[in-house]
Amino acid sequence: MENAEPQTGIIILAAGASTRMGQAKQLLRIGGESLIQKAVKTALGTIFRPVLVVLGANREQIEPELQSTEILKVFNPDWSTGMGSSIATGLAHLLQQTPSIQQVLILVGDQPLLKVATLTALVELQSQTQAPLVVSRYTNTLGVPALFTQALFGDLAALHSAQGAKALIQQHLHQAAVLDFPEGALDLDTPEEWAAFLTKINFPG
């Protein structure tokens, strides 16, 4: 009898204040949908469940964008202390709701070129390599989306508030499998990046 595939959950980090953008970038719209809706749609396009969105700053404006009954939501009251607290909050809530989760994909909402195939490839690479960590590589950077197995859940939960997933990635780099995701280099942090993106990318709708 073949071993069952490990259950994979997804955490979407959407708690930041987008201070460099000057507005909630989760609400920026591409092709008729907001960035956070696009991230959720991509996550729900996979077979991985549950999908959890971590909210923080601008919760009142962002939450109405999350109408799907398929997703879980959790509010991180300590969002201002840094991404690490949102990761820990998301993981704790995910495990509380679904204790059988054995690995988790962590992604952010400002990588608009993220596709279902990328998330699936991260999980497939873990299955092939049995690595405890699978990370994305773009422009000489290793980062998210990334997959963390149960072996690293304790480290994720213990992240210092100001640290993000990259701190843990650096710590366990010797154990990591790496997936090339050049499109991940495009994230949207400033009005200039947003304006440049709109001139180059033509989404339908």
Side-chain angles (χ1 to χ4, degrees), residues 38-78:
K38 185 168 179 56
V40 167
K41 183 178 178 180
T42 300
L44 291 177
T46 72
I47 61 172
F48 313 124
R49 297 292 186 275
V51 174
L52 170 72
V53 179
V54 183
L55 298 166
N58 305 304
R59 176 189 184 183
E60 295 78 8
Q61 297 108 286
I62 297 169
E63 197 160 12
E65 301 284 302
L66 306 173
Q67 296 299 323
S68 173
T69 56
E70 283 192 79
I71 59 172
L72 302 173
K73 294 172 282 188
V74 65
F75 175 65
N76 174 23
D78 299 320

Side-chain angles (χ1 to χ4, degrees), residues 19-35:
T19 51
R20 293 172 61 197
M21 184 64 73
Q23 60 178 305
K25 63 183 174 183
Q26 299 93 333
L27 302 178
L28 296 173
R29 305 195 83 78
I30 301 170
E33 62 187 355
S34 62
L35 282 182

Side-chain angles (χ1 to χ4, degrees), residues 20-188:
R20 293 172 61 197
M21 184 64 73
Q23 60 178 305
K25 63 183 174 183
Q26 299 93 333
L27 302 178
L28 296 173
R29 305 195 83 78
I30 301 170
E33 62 187 355
S34 62
L35 282 182
I36 187 60
Q37 287 174 331
K38 185 168 179 56
V40 167
K41 183 178 178 180
T42 300
L44 291 177
T46 72
I47 61 172
F48 313 124
R49 297 292 186 275
V51 174
L52 170 72
V53 179
V54 183
L55 298 166
N58 305 304
R59 176 189 184 183
E60 295 78 8
Q61 297 108 286
I62 297 169
E63 197 160 12
E65 301 284 302
L66 306 173
Q67 296 299 323
S68 173
T69 56
E70 283 192 79
I71 59 172
L72 302 173
K73 294 172 282 188
V74 65
F75 175 65
N76 174 23
D78 299 320
W79 62 265
S80 62
T81 62
M83 189 179 287
S85 70
S86 289
I87 291 173
T89 297
L91 181 62
H93 190 75
L94 201 65
L95 292 174
Q96 183 181 45
Q97 298 297 314
T98 313
S100 57
I101 289 291
Q102 294 165 280
Q103 52 191 27
V104 63
L105 284 160
I106 294 180
L107 50 138
V108 291
D110 63 351
Q111 289 178 317
L113 301 184
L114 179 63
K115 299 287 193 300
V116 170
T118 306
L119 299 179
T120 301
L122 287 165
V123 175
E124 289 176 347
L125 186 55
Q126 195 287 323
S127 180
Q128 293 162 10
T129 63
Q130 294 299 301
L133 169 64
V134 186
V135 300
S136 299
R137 175 166 53 201
Y138 38 89
T139 58
N140 302 315
T141 296
L142 298 175
V144 295
L147 182 143
F148 297 84
T149 65
Q150 200 169 34
L152 297 180
F153 282 2
D155 292 325
L156 281 174
L159 276 175
H160 294 299
S161 294
Q163 293 178 313
K166 283 188 178 181
L168 196 54
I169 288 170
Q170 289 301 318
Q171 184 181 341
H172 292 277
L173 204 52
H174 62 289
Q175 299 174 284
V178 178
L179 178 76
D180 283 319
F181 173 46
E183 298 89 349
L186 177 65
D187 58 10
L188 302 170

